[in-house]
Amino acid sequence: MTLHELLSCRVAAALAAAGAPDAAPVVQPSSKPEFGDYQANGVMGAAKALKTNPRELATKVVAALQLDGIASKIEIAGPGFINITLADDFLADTVTRQQADVQLGTGRHAGDKVVIDYSSPNLAKEMHVGHLRSTIIGDALARVLAFRGDQVVRQNHVGDWGTQFGMLTAYLVETEQAGSEALALDDLEGFYRAAKQRFDEDAAFADRARDYVVKLQGGDVRVRALWQRFLEVSLAHCEAVYERLGVQLQRDDVMGESAYNDDLPRVVVDLRAAGLLTEDAGAQVVFLDEFKNKEGEAQAYIIQKQDGGYLYSTSDLAALRYRAGKLGARRLLYVVDARQGLHFQQLFTLGRKAGFIGADVATEHVAFGTMMGEDGKPFKTRSGGTVKLVELLDEAERRAFDLVSEKNPDLAEEKRRSIARAVGIGAVKYADLSKHRTSDYIFDWNTMLSFEGNTAPYLQYAYTRLASIFRAAGSFDHHAKLTLTEPAEHALALQLAQFPDLLAQVAAETCPHFLCAYLYQLATRFSRFYEACPVLKSEGETRASRLALCAAAANTLKTGLGLLGIAVLEEM
RNA sequence: GCGCUCGUAGCUCAACCGGAUAGAGCAACGGCCUUCUAAGCCGUAGGUUACAGGUUCGAUUCCUGUCGAGCGCGCCA
């Protein structure tokens, strides 16, 4: 049982004993240190329901509250808050037990199968900053869910289908004939621009491109092979970016739009058989009662164009059915831009109506905000283009290298390079992950590549201080008995003990920024401990205890950062 | 026109589904390195939570309205 579960359970029992069996305990970490470690707020609501005095009810609840060996102090405050301070010995035991578990006390429930759709770049172009959020939020969530024991299936729903690929393959033939194919494909972005230019300026080329789309969809062997070659280059580019970013997506996780191509006609047939499809202006559409406006007119959700072509609604329906059916997932997560909110509401509603997914399958659009420029308008470079992801990462590493060279000039250059990689990439990811995903995102080089305060380098720095202590300490017992005497030790141990509760919250609400806030708080509490409590200079049991506490902090920090996909360093 | 998301310190962001005196970081000002890495620690200052009502012991949070912002809404994804 986690701390929160334990306390909730005990307070609920005390409420029942005091005559409020149905009252919610409402236990949460205290808002201020003066209020102890946890506060139970359920008494006020319960007193209201029972029409009794909350202070009197609180007195009864506290009298019935069984926290022997758990709490060192229980107080009633204000209108009826119950403030609980945990016993040092109990906290020490909790941390010790947690550290003995490879999952740090989090892995109890046996694996729900969860499909998580993230990154999903368009393979026609190079990855740009707009792909960052989905990629790293999805990766962090996948890691957290897997760590807690869920069976996670990653799905990289890449854009590898549609009209633009006719254009690209047609252009690939041209460059091949000109003997410059390899060179051209080396620069995906330039290749796309050049193909687009040919398409816009040369009617014959445009016709050829359209012909290639038909051949591609019809399964023409030669065009398919060209298309495959292009995808190979583009995927290799994505994988290089994933590798640099420390994102776990691999080739096996790729399940692109094209994978559902053969299933699309069946989707239409099945929707029609279910009586959901209507022909409107030549297109096959679904009108869902759930999406009526005030005038009672239902919104159209187009499944098939009047020319017979399919849309992303069609392939998303096919993917939905595949994930719930063939993959057998109980929870479907889509880490996709918030602007597609309506699409997903319609998709999920229709998917259920059509029987593609059962009532026991949860569907969640893990929406995130739009990338904005410093002026608050949609993000663009000075010249009006998009910032490539590799350019952002290059800049991050360059700045980190300059800083580490300034702070630690004696380190070998190769060492400084590798530190700069971890610090630069970590800063970029943390800057993004630490914000609530639903809010719009202001892209700013200086904010994103800041290395002070609430940033990844602060957390990494805390870890290097720990590593430095361990180096100087030599061998020691990582699981020595903890004796918590100083307030800074108590605060740090409490933070460590809350790790399982925190991860449960991240998993339930799919919000990585909770984990960032937790780790920042953990690092802050460690830093205070570091200032207040000498480790190596203390002696005997105190020294052994503090070293073990440091080991627990280092382990939790490393694990937590690992779940965000951020590396730790021995020195920086 | 309809719908979704939002409006919190000068700036960037939090606030654990209604809890106590709304918290951090950056920027500003002042302290702390002969002592485990100062990318750090401590302190000061900074707020009518857009505005107006309502619900109740209690509202940044829930409801209504106003103002303002961003984004969606039939053949792109």
Side-chain angles (χ1 to χ4, degrees):
Chain A
M1 228 188 298
T2 66
L3 271 187
H4 184 263
E5 287 165 350
L6 175 66
L7 294 172
S8 295
C9 193
R10 297 295 173 92
V11 174
L15 276 163
D22 299 322
V26 196
V27 171
Q28 55 186 242
S30 291
S31 52
K32 288 177 188 300
E34 310 92 271
F35 302 149
D37 297 334
Y38 279 88
Q39 58 184 65
N41 305 333
V43 168
M44 278 95 71
K48 188 178 164 191
L50 296 172
K51 294 186 166 54
T52 60
N53 181 305
R55 292 282 303 201
E56 280 174 26
L57 181 62
T59 308
K60 286 190 203 168
V61 171
V62 168
L65 189 51
Q66 288 294 323
L67 288 175
D68 293 345
I70 294 173
S72 61
K73 192 165 74 173
I74 302 171
E75 287 180 327
I76 299 169
F81 295 99
I82 298 175
N83 294 335
I84 301 166
T85 302
L86 297 175
D88 287 319
D89 289 348
F90 170 73
L91 262 188
D93 287 349
T94 303
V95 171
T96 301
R97 243 180 301 117
Q98 194 170 295
Q99 290 301 312
D101 176 8
V102 286
Q103 288 173 281
L104 293 176
T106 60
R108 289 159 290 91
H109 67 281
D112 272 350
K113 187 176 254 191
V114 183
V115 165
I116 174 163
D117 178 323
Y118 69 102
S119 194
S120 306
N122 181 351
L123 295 184
K125 294 185 185 181
E126 199 163 328
M127 288 185 80
H128 56 85
V129 289
H131 296 113
L132 187 65
R133 302 210 79 184
S134 177
T135 303
I136 66 182
I137 290 170
D139 189 62
L141 291 175
R143 288 174 190 255
V144 170
L145 293 175
F147 185 77
R148 299 184 75 246
D150 283 332
Q151 199 181 334
V152 174
V153 181
R154 295 166 172 81
Q155 292 278 278
N156 195 357
H157 193 79
V158 298
D160 60 359
W161 203 242
T163 53
Q164 52 198 336
F165 288 94
M167 177 182 88
L168 292 166
T169 47
Y171 187 62
L172 186 56
V173 172
E174 279 197 359
T175 56
E176 198 173 42
Q177 283 164 354
S180 58
E181 172 224 342
L183 188 71
L185 266 183
D186 202 42
D187 172 16
L188 272 179
E189 205 65 21
F191 187 86
Y192 183 90
R193 269 200 308 276
K196 184 79 168 68
Q197 195 178 347
R198 292 283 293 128
F199 187 89
D200 291 340
E201 291 174 358
D202 187 334
F205 178 86
D207 284 342
R208 213 150 52 235
R210 280 186 277 270
D211 178 47
Y212 272 52
V213 177
V214 175
K215 284 181 170 163
L216 182 60
Q217 311 224 342
D220 179 283
V221 175
R222 182 164 155 271
V223 177
R224 282 267 177 150
L226 286 166
W227 170 72
Q228 283 287 358
R229 275 237 306 287
F230 184 88
L231 293 187
E232 180 55 40
V233 173
S234 190
L235 272 174
H237 157 75
C238 290
E239 282 161 0
V241 172
Y242 294 153
E243 171 74 25
R244 255 185 103 177
L245 270 175
V247 162
Q248 291 178 320
L249 282 171
Q250 292 174 351
R251 192 61 64 102
D252 284 351
D253 304 319
V254 172
M255 189 71 181
E257 289 168 23
S258 64
Y260 300 101
N261 192 44
D262 296 342
D263 199 34
L264 302 184
R266 267 195 298 279
V267 169
V268 175
V269 166
D270 292 342
L271 289 176
R272 185 174 293 122
L276 292 163
L277 220 49
T278 309
E279 185 166 321
D280 193 273
Q284 302 300 315
V285 307
V286 175
F287 291 103
L288 291 165
D289 293 340
E290 290 82 353
F291 300 94
K292 278 183 183 166
N293 63 20
K294 290 263 166 69
E295 281 72 50
E297 300 161 334
Q299 280 201 48
Y301 191 51
I302 302 177
I303 303 299
Q304 191 175 21
K305 298 193 283 187
Q306 57 181 349
D307 68 359
Y310 300 104
L311 296 150
Y312 80 142
S313 58
T314 332
S315 57
D316 273 356
L317 279 164
L320 187 75
R321 178 155 67 176
Y322 169 78
R323 292 168 186 182
K326 211 155 205 162
L327 294 179
R330 298 292 302 278
R331 190 181 185 194
L332 304 178
L333 303 181
Y334 291 80
V335 187
V336 180
D337 192 307
R339 285 176 291 192
Q340 293 188 35
L342 180 59
H343 163 68
F344 281 108
Q345 282 185 49
Q346 292 172 323
L347 175 70
F348 299 156
T349 303
L350 179 54
R352 286 185 197 287
K353 273 197 162 174
F356 290 2
I357 50 172
D360 58 335
V361 179
T363 50
E364 298 168 43
H365 175 203
V366 182
F368 54 84
T370 310
M371 175 86 60
M372 309 293 260
E374 289 174 50
D375 54 0
K377 294 179 189 155
F379 182 75
K380 289 280 188 289
T381 60
R382 269 190 299 270
S383 56
T386 53
V387 172
K388 294 178 183 178
L389 216 31
V390 287
E391 287 172 354
L392 171 63
L393 302 182
D394 287 345
E395 176 74 8
E397 288 185 23
R398 194 185 61 71
R399 292 197 189 203
F401 182 75
D402 289 348
L403 185 66
V404 71
S405 297
E406 176 194 319
K407 298 262 183 194
N408 226 335
D410 295 337
L411 290 174
E413 181 175 337
E414 189 42 48
K415 195 93 188 166
R416 281 180 282 135
R417 293 263 173 230
S418 81
I419 291 169
R421 271 195 292 279
V423 168
I425 303 294
V428 167
K429 295 178 78 169
Y430 189 88
D432 195 312
L433 289 168
S434 61
K435 292 170 181 61
H436 194 113
R437 57 175 168 73
T438 55
S439 55
D440 282 342
Y441 187 96
I442 306 258
F443 179 88
D444 174 33
W445 289 103
N446 290 323
T447 308
M448 181 171 272
L449 301 182
S450 155
F451 302 122
E452 285 179 349
N454 187 4
T455 63
Y458 175 84
L459 306 183
Q460 292 167 319
Y461 180 70
Y463 187 85
T464 63
R465 286 175 136 188
L466 284 156
S468 179
I469 290 174
F470 300 149
R471 276 195 302 274
S475 74
F476 65 94
D477 180 5
H478 286 236
H479 303 288
K481 180 174 161 45
L482 294 179
T483 309
L484 310 173
T485 53
E486 297 299 314
E489 291 176 307
H490 183 93
L492 178 55
L494 173 64
Q495 186 74 21
L496 292 169
Q498 289 169 339
F499 188 63
D501 279 321
L502 186 280
L503 286 191
Q505 220 176 324
V506 174
E509 299 184 40
T510 58
C511 284
H513 83 280
F514 291 155
L515 179 52
C516 293
Y518 170 87
L519 292 172
Y520 179 65
Q521 180 76 1
L522 173 59
T524 299
R525 289 186 176 194
F526 163 71
S527 295
R528 288 176 186 158
F529 161 84
Y530 183 90
E531 301 280 338
C533 306
V535 177
L536 298 173
K537 280 196 191 143
S538 57
E539 294 174 350
E541 280 183 22
T542 301
R543 186 175 189 272
S545 169
R546 286 181 180 171
L547 275 169
L549 188 58
C550 283
N555 187 25
T556 307
L557 201 47
K558 181 179 186 172
T559 303
L561 280 170
L563 294 177
L564 294 175
I566 295 174
V568 294
L569 295 158
E570 296 301 310
E571 55 182 341
M572 64 188 274

